[in-house]
Amino acid sequence: MADNQNRPVKRTYKQNYYFLKIFRINILFFILLFACAFSFGQSLTISGTVLDGHTKEPVSYASVYFTKSGYGKITDTAGHFSFVINNFKDDTLQVSFIGFALYSLPINGLQNNKTLNIQLERGSAKGEVVVKAKWNRGLYLWKKIMSKKKQYNRYDLGNFSYEAYNKLEIDIKNFNADKAKKNFLLKNFSFIFDNIDSTSESTPFLPAYLIETLSDYAYQNNPKKFNEHVKASKTVGFKNESFAKLLGVMNQNVSIYSNYVNVMDKDFISPFHDNADAYYIFTVPDTQLVNGTKLYHFVFRPKRPGQNTFEGDAWVKEQSYQITKISMYLGKDANINFIDRISVFQEYIPINDSTIFLNRDKFFADFRVMGKKSLTLIGRKTTSYKDININSDSLTAAFKDQRIEELVTSGKNVIQNADSVWKDLRHDSLSKNEKTIYATIDKLIEMPKFQKFQRNLRFLATGYKDFGKIELGPWFNWISADTVQGTRFRFDVGTNSKLMKNVYLHGYLAYGLRDKRFKGQAEAYWIVNREPKRIRLHLSYQNDVDNGINQVGEVSQDNVFSLAIRKPNNNRKFINVRDLRFEVFNDLGKGFSSEWFVSHRHYTPLLNLPPDSNFAVTSGTKLTNFEIALKLRFAYLERFIETDYNRYSLGTKYPIVELLVAKGFAGVFNSAYNYTKLSLTVKDNLRISPYGIISYKVFGGKIFGTMPFTNLENHQGNDIFYYSQSAYNLMNRFEYLSDQYAGANVEHNFGSGIFRFIPFTRKMKWRQFWNVKALWGSLSDENYALNYIVDADTRAKIPAFKRLNDQTYIEVGTGIDNIFKVFRLDFVWRVSPSSTFAGKQNQFGIFGSFRIQF
C-alpha cells in the first residue's frame, strides 16, 4: 500500500494535453483579469508648467485637456496645472493658447506622478476659431487702453529713477557637438561641449557667453533729460569701458506705450501707437478673475503681412485698464535680417493707485545667418528694476546741474569688480548655465591654443594680426595694381597696446613693379587724454600715389578687390602726394570738438593731369603749399565705441554740423601759394516711421585765390563699379573742378516699400530706396585758364577739367537693397548736364555694394 502511494502517477498523453490546456487558460484568465483591473482601476497623477518656448515665461490661463476623456483645466497665473484621474486610460494631452501652435503629448500609465515642462512655440493653432461680431470688443478695449496711455506711460511722468540689473546671455543652438569635436580648429576645446543643455528646451543648446551690468537710471520729462551711471559691468574676456556704457538701459529701453518700438535700429509700430488700429486687428478671446480682479486677454496681430508690426497678447485690468504683462513677437514676414524670431516680454506692478511701473523686462532674439538648421545664436536679455522712485523733488534738484539732454557715466572701476562683490550686486542669483559660462570662459582665456585661435580669427576678419607688441596688416592691401605702378606690393606694421597704451606707431612701405619706386607712410598717434574730454595728437609723413578720398565702409583703390570692379575705358588720373602734417583734436564737450591741421604738401602729377611745368611761380616750389586749417564740429549726443587707439561714431539723433577754415601761406618751407578756403557741411538721418529713413547731406564752400587744381575743389568721382555714398558715381575723379560750390545728397530708404505687396519679394525681404545727388559749382576764368594740358597733336592749350558754370550736375538713382541680406544694386542716371556738355559717357550706370545690416 505504501509502495502504491509513493509510486509516481503516470498520465497518459491525453491527460497531459488537457492539463496543459487548462493551465494556459488559467494563466490567460489571470492576465486578462490583471489587465482589466489595471485599465479600469488605475489612477493618474500628473502635473506640469506651461512656458513660452522663447522667453521661458509662464503661460497663464492656457487650456490643458485630454482629447479622449475630455478632462480639462486652465493653467494658473504661474502656468501650473495638475490632474488626478481615476480609471485612467491612455490618452493625449493637448495644450492650446491664442498665438501659440497646438501642443500634443501622448500620456500613458507609466507617466504617473510625472512633472511636465511644456514649452509652446509661437504660431497659429490649426482650426483656430475666429468669431465675427457686430461689436468689436478688441477695438473697444484698445481705445480704453489708449485713453489711459498718457497716465501709464512712464515717460509722461514728471520724473523717475531706478536701479537696473541687465543680464545678456548668448547661447548657440543647432550645434553638432560630435562634428565639432572632430573639427581640427575646435577639437582642442572639446571640453566646452560637455556644457550642452539638453533639458531646458526642446532643442539642445550650448551656453556661450554672459554679460552683466548694474546701473542707476534717472529721467526728467520737462525739460527732457536722461542720466545713467553704470556702476558695474562684467564682460569676461575683454575690457572696454565704452562698450560697458552701451550695455546699460539707456540704449535698450522698450516702451510699449510709445508709438514705435526700436528693434535692431529699426522702428516697429507699437500696438499702442496712436493709429495702431490702422495696422492691427484686436480681439478679446478670454477673461479671467484673479484675486477678485477681472482681467481681459487682449490679443493683437497685423492687418497686413510685410509691415513692421508685432503679434502678441496682454492681460489688462478691468476699469483701470492697466496692463499687467505683455508679450510681443515679430512675425515671419517682418523685414529684418539674420533674425529668426524676436520676443519682448514686460511685467508691470502698481506703484500707487494711479501709477504702474515696469518690474521685469525680457528681450530674446535668435540670430541665424543661413538656413533653418544652421548655427543659431540666441540672445537673452533680462532686466529687473529696484528702488523705483517717481515724481521726486530730489531728482528735480539733481537734474538742475545737468547741462545736456543725455549723460552716461561709469564708475572708475566699472569692469573690475570681483566675483564676491557681484554676489551682492545681482538682483537674483546666477543659474547653473550662467555659472558654467563663466567657468568655461575663464578656462578658455588661459589656454594658449584658444589665444592663437582668437588671433587667427581676427586676422581673417579685420586684416590685422598681432605678433607680440606689434601688429601686421591689413592683408587686403598687400597687393593691388594700376596703370602707373603696375603690380603694387604693400607691407604695414604698427604697434599695439602691449607696447604703449596711449601711443600708436604705424607705417607702411609699398613698391610698384612698373614705376620701380618705393612709397610709404610713417605716423604716430598720442592720446593725451581719453575721459572726460578726448585730446589726441597726430604726426604723419606720407609719400605715395593718391588713391582718392575714402570713407569708412567704402572700397579704396589701393585694394586687391578693386581690381575686378574698375570702370573700363576710363582714363584714370594719377598724382603723387608728399605730405607732412600735424593734427590736434580736442573734444570741447556738449557735442563740440575742434581739430587743428598744420600741413606741408608737394604734388607731382603722374598721368593724365597737367604737369607741374604748366604752373609758373614767382617764389617757392611749384605745386607746394603750407596750410593751417581749423575744423569745428558739432554733434550733439553723439555716441562712440572706443578701441585701443581709435573711436568710431555710432551716430546721433541730431544733425551734425562741420565748419572748415583753411589758410595757405606762401614762402613757408618753399610753399608757393596764398589762399583761403571755407566750407560748411550739415548731415543727418531722419526717421519718418513708418515710411523709413531719409538721409541728407548739404554742403558748400568757397576758395579765394588763383591756383593750380591741387588747391581747388576736385569734386569726388568714382572710378569703380562699387557704389559710393559720398561720391558722384557717374563722375570720374578729377573730372570737374570748382572754386565755389554747393551740393545736396538725399536718400530715402523705404524699407519693404512696394516689395511687400509681391509674395516673392516679400519673402526675399527686398528693400526699396531712391536717391538724388545735386551739385552746383563754378570756376573763375583765371583758374580755368591756369589749369590746362597741351594737345599732343596740335600743341594747343586745352582745359584739363570741366566746370559747372551755369550748369547743375544731377544724378538720380533707385534699385534693390537687401539682396540675399547683404547686397545692394543701384541703377543711376545722370539727368544733368546733357550729353552735349558732359559727353555721352557715364549717362547710366549699374553699381553694386555690400553691407551688413539688420
Side-chain angles (χ1 to χ4, degrees):
M1 190 71 167
D3 291 340
N4 291 336
Q5 288 178 349
N6 294 326
R7 187 181 300 133
V9 178
K10 291 185 179 181
R11 297 188 180 95
T12 65
Y13 173 81
K14 191 173 183 180
Q15 286 176 323
N16 283 334
Y17 171 78
Y18 284 115
F19 174 80
L20 289 173
K21 190 172 183 180
I22 293 170
F23 178 78
R24 289 172 181 171
I25 292 172
N26 288 338
I27 291 295
L28 182 61
F29 172 76
F30 282 112
I31 289 174
L32 291 173
L33 185 64
F34 178 79
C36 291
F38 190 88
S39 299
F40 292 100
Q42 181 192 17
S43 65
L44 176 76
T45 300
I46 196 166
S47 61
T49 305
V50 180
L51 303 174
D52 183 321
H54 202 209
T55 65
K56 302 301 178 287
E57 282 297 313
V59 178
S60 307
Y61 318 120
S63 296
V64 184
Y65 55 93
F66 289 95
T67 57
K68 293 179 182 178
S69 65
Y71 292 119
K73 289 188 176 183
I74 61 170
T75 58
D76 61 17
T77 55
H80 297 317
F81 68 90
S82 63
F83 289 94
V84 177
I85 304 174
N86 295 319
N87 300 324
F88 176 79
K89 294 182 179 181
D90 292 356
D91 209 331
T92 299
L93 183 71
Q94 288 194 340
V95 183
S96 64
F97 193 71
I98 295 291
F100 290 91
L102 186 67
Y103 179 93
S104 298
L105 178 68
I107 300 293
N108 57 42
L110 298 177
Q111 291 168 291
N112 188 34
N113 294 320
K114 188 172 183 179
T115 301
L116 303 177
N117 185 350
I118 296 175
Q119 301 189 26
L120 303 183
E121 296 298 328
R122 287 286 178 176
S124 298
K126 294 181 179 179
E128 190 173 288
V129 178
V130 178
V131 179
K132 294 184 177 180
K134 293 182 179 179
W135 179 56
N136 190 332
R137 293 179 66 201
L139 183 61
Y140 174 80
L141 180 57
W142 175 78
K143 289 179 178 179
K144 287 295 185 181
I145 296 170
M146 294 299 292
S147 70
K148 301 286 187 177
K149 176 177 177 176
K150 192 172 182 63
Q151 178 181 342
Y152 297 144
N153 185 2
R154 63 185 182 275
Y155 290 104
D156 283 320
L157 296 170
N159 59 50
F160 62 80
S161 66
Y162 52 73
E163 181 187 76
Y165 170 60
N166 253 337
K167 185 164 55 179
L168 174 62
E169 180 182 338
I170 300 174
D171 302 326
I172 303 175
K173 193 170 69 172
N174 295 338
F175 190 83
N176 191 319
D178 294 332
K179 287 185 178 180
K181 289 177 181 179
K182 298 176 183 177
N183 187 291
F184 75 99
L185 292 174
L186 302 176
K187 64 182 180 180
N188 294 314
F189 319 117
S190 59
F191 68 92
I192 66 176
F193 309 134
D194 298 333
N195 301 329
I196 290 179
D197 186 335
S198 59
T199 59
S200 298
E201 296 189 7
S202 56
T203 303
F205 64 91
L206 176 67
Y209 200 75
L210 184 66
I211 298 171
E212 297 178 273
T213 307
L214 188 75
S215 59
D216 288 330
Y217 180 84
Y219 165 82
Q220 177 180 274
N221 189 7
N222 190 20
K224 278 202 184 321
K225 290 182 181 180
F226 306 81
N227 183 290
E228 182 172 14
H229 177 68
V230 181
K231 298 190 290 187
S233 182
K234 191 174 179 66
T235 53
V236 180
F238 64 97
K239 308 294 182 184
N240 189 317
E241 293 191 10
S242 67
F243 184 69
K245 288 182 180 180
L246 295 175
L247 292 174
V249 292
M250 180 83 79
N251 303 301
Q252 304 179 51
N253 271 326
V254 173
S255 174
I256 60 169
Y257 287 106
S258 298
N259 282 339
Y260 298 96
V261 175
N262 190 270
V263 177
M264 303 299 176
D265 203 35
K266 291 187 177 298
D267 284 342
F268 287 78
I269 302 167
S270 167
F272 306 108
H273 184 285
D274 293 339
N275 299 313
D277 54 333
Y279 303 96
Y280 286 94
I281 296 172
F282 304 114
T283 57
V284 183
D286 190 18
T287 59
Q288 294 291 333
L289 193 66
V290 180
N291 297 326
T293 302
K294 188 176 183 180
L295 297 179
Y296 295 107
H297 188 198
F298 178 71
V299 176
F300 46 89
R301 67 177 187 272
K303 277 188 175 180
R304 292 169 290 274
Q307 289 187 315
N308 285 352
T309 48
F310 292 96
E311 298 180 45
D313 63 291
W315 290 95
V316 183
K317 285 186 179 181
E318 186 186 34
Q319 296 182 345
S320 66
Y321 301 105
Q322 294 176 349
I323 294 174
T324 60
K325 61 181 178 180
I326 183 171
S327 295
M328 305 189 299
Y329 72 101
L330 295 183
K332 62 180 180 179
D333 290 324
N335 195 330
I336 191 166
N337 289 334
F338 312 118
I339 304 293
D340 187 49
R341 56 179 179 172
I342 284 180
S343 298
V344 178
F345 170 84
Q346 291 189 339
E347 181 181 71
Y348 291 81
I349 56 173
I351 301 297
N352 52 45
D353 292 339
S354 59
T355 306
I356 59 172
F357 206 89
L358 203 56
N359 180 46
R360 287 190 304 131
D361 186 359
K362 287 187 176 185
F363 180 91
F364 284 15
D366 289 6
F367 299 85
R368 179 180 292 156
V369 178
M370 304 299 288
K372 291 183 178 180
K373 296 184 178 180
S374 66
L375 202 68
T376 301
L377 294 180
I378 309 173
R380 312 176 195 265
K381 184 188 80 73
T382 60
T383 308
S384 57
Y385 303 86
K386 281 175 57 176
D387 303 329
I388 299 168
N389 192 12
I390 64 172
N391 297 333
S392 168
D393 293 336
S394 61
L395 281 177
T396 304
F399 273 117
K400 284 183 179 179
D401 298 328
Q402 183 173 314
R403 303 301 180 189
I404 61 175
E405 182 180 333
E406 291 183 6
L407 180 64
V408 182
T409 59
S410 59
K412 189 175 181 180
N413 299 315
V414 64
I415 57 177
Q416 297 177 3
N417 291 291
D419 292 340
S420 58
V421 176
W422 270 103
K423 289 181 181 179
D424 297 326
L425 294 177
R426 294 184 183 103
H427 289 186
D428 51 35
S429 58
L430 294 179
S431 66
K432 179 183 176 182
N433 279 344
E434 291 163 348
K435 292 177 182 177
T436 301
I437 289 172
Y438 280 141
T440 303
I441 293 173
D442 289 339
K443 186 174 180 179
L444 276 174
I445 291 172
E446 295 175 359
M447 293 179 64
K449 290 182 178 179
F450 181 74
Q451 295 168 9
K452 182 180 179 180
F453 179 74
Q454 277 187 305
R455 290 193 297 267
N456 292 336
L457 196 62
R458 176 177 177 261
F459 177 63
L460 290 174
T462 67
Y464 294 91
K465 187 169 184 178
D466 289 335
F467 291 90
K469 297 179 180 180
I470 65 170
E471 69 173 11
L472 301 181
W475 60 263
F476 42 77
N477 282 346
W478 285 350
I479 185 169
S480 60
D482 59 54
T483 308
V484 170
Q485 301 177 91
T487 302
R488 168 186 164 115
F489 299 97
R490 170 173 159 172
F491 180 77
D492 290 68
V493 62
T495 61
N496 56 38
S497 58
K498 294 177 183 178
L499 182 65
M500 290 174 285
K501 182 179 178 181
N502 294 316
V503 177
Y504 173 64
L505 305 176
H506 167 258
Y508 72 83
L509 189 66
Y511 183 78
L513 295 182
R514 178 172 294 174
D515 65 356
K516 301 187 184 306
R517 245 181 14 97
F518 284 100
K519 308 97 179 170
Q521 181 188 31
E523 61 180 338
Y525 286 91
W526 179 22
I527 303 175
V528 181
N529 190 53
R530 293 180 184 267
E531 295 288 347
K533 297 177 181 179
R534 189 180 184 89
I535 299 175
R536 184 204 68 217
L537 307 181
H538 179 214
L539 177 64
S540 170
Y541 174 77
Q542 185 178 30
N543 187 356
D544 200 354
V545 176
D546 173 34
N547 283 291
I549 303 170
N550 300 312
Q551 305 294 321
V552 174
E554 296 186 357
V555 174
S556 72
Q557 304 280 334
D558 182 18
N559 190 304
V560 65
F561 300 113
S562 68
L563 298 175
I565 53 176
R566 285 181 182 156
K567 295 178 182 177
N569 305 319
N570 181 19
N571 290 325
R572 296 183 64 208
K573 300 171 182 179
F574 295 87
I575 188 169
N576 193 86
V577 181
R578 189 171 71 240
D579 178 48
L580 175 65
R581 64 174 51 230
F582 178 66
E583 303 170 1
V584 180
F585 173 84
N586 189 6
D587 187 347
L588 304 174
K590 297 183 180 179
F592 288 97
S593 65
S594 67
E595 192 164 10
W596 286 94
F597 304 85
V598 180
S599 64
H600 182 268
R601 290 194 199 96
H602 175 71
Y603 297 92
T604 304
L606 299 175
L607 184 67
N608 296 324
L609 287 170
D612 54 5
S613 58
N614 288 11
F615 304 100
V617 294
T618 56
S619 64
T621 304
K622 298 174 183 178
L623 301 185
T624 301
N625 62 285
F626 177 82
E627 180 179 292
I628 297 177
L630 171 63
K631 183 171 78 172
L632 296 174
R633 188 172 188 270
F634 178 66
Y636 189 56
L637 301 182
E638 186 174 22
R639 297 176 301 153
F640 297 92
I641 186 73
E642 187 172 336
T643 59
D644 289 338
Y645 302 109
N646 299 306
R647 65 176 188 173
Y648 301 95
S649 174
L650 298 177
T652 171
K653 58 184 178 181
Y654 295 101
I656 297 174
V657 182
E658 294 179 348
L659 173 66
L660 178 68
V661 181
K663 177 66 178 175
F665 298 91
V668 181
F669 301 116
N670 292 322
S671 63
Y673 307 102
N674 285 306
Y675 59 87
T676 302
K677 292 183 179 181
L678 299 173
S679 68
L680 178 68
T681 302
V682 180
K683 56 186 177 181
D684 193 14
N685 296 319
L686 297 175
R687 294 185 181 274
I688 53 171
S689 301
Y691 306 110
I693 298 176
I694 291 182
S695 304
Y696 72 84
K697 175 184 176 182
V698 293
F699 57 93
K702 185 171 177 63
I703 301 170
F704 301 88
T706 301
M707 293 171 297
F709 68 96
T710 52
N711 293 330
L712 299 174
E713 181 66 20
N714 290 274
H715 298 296
Q716 189 178 354
N718 186 7
D719 287 345
I720 58 179
F721 283 117
Y722 190 92
Y723 185 82
S724 171
Q725 295 283 351
S726 57
Y728 296 92
N729 289 277
L730 294 177
M731 181 189 294
N732 296 324
R733 293 180 65 230
F734 297 108
E735 183 177 2
Y736 286 89
L737 196 65
S738 297
D739 51 27
Q740 58 181 358
Y741 57 92
N745 299 346
V746 179
E747 179 166 299
H748 182 191
N749 289 275
F750 292 94
S752 301
I754 61 172
F755 292 135
R756 66 185 175 89
F757 297 108
I758 306 170
F760 172 76
T761 55
R762 183 171 68 239
K763 182 179 180 180
M764 298 299 293
K765 298 187 177 181
W766 286 1
R767 296 172 186 171
Q768 184 187 6
F769 65 89
W770 62 263
N771 51 47
V772 177
K773 294 181 179 181
L775 176 66
W776 300 269
S778 66
L779 185 68
S780 67
D781 292 337
E782 294 79 7
N783 279 324
Y784 190 56
L786 180 63
N787 292 276
Y788 68 92
I789 56 176
V790 177
D791 186 270
D793 298 325
T794 64
R795 308 306 298 170
K797 294 180 179 179
I798 58 175
F801 304 91
K802 298 173 185 175
R803 59 178 178 174
L804 286 168
N805 296 34
D806 302 323
Q807 297 283 338
T808 301
Y809 183 93
I810 301 176
E811 56 182 50
V812 299
T814 187
I816 305 171
D817 195 5
N818 208 45
I819 302 171
F820 302 120
K821 301 181 182 180
V822 293
F823 294 108
R824 165 169 155 157
L825 196 62
D826 283 75
F827 303 95
V828 185
W829 293 264
R830 189 187 70 211
V831 177
S832 176
S834 65
S835 57
T836 305
F837 177 86
K840 294 184 178 181
Q841 251 189 338
N842 293 338
Q843 295 185 77
F844 171 75
I846 300 176
F847 298 83
S849 57
F850 168 89
R851 60 176 175 169
I852 303 292
Q853 59 178 335
F854 287 109

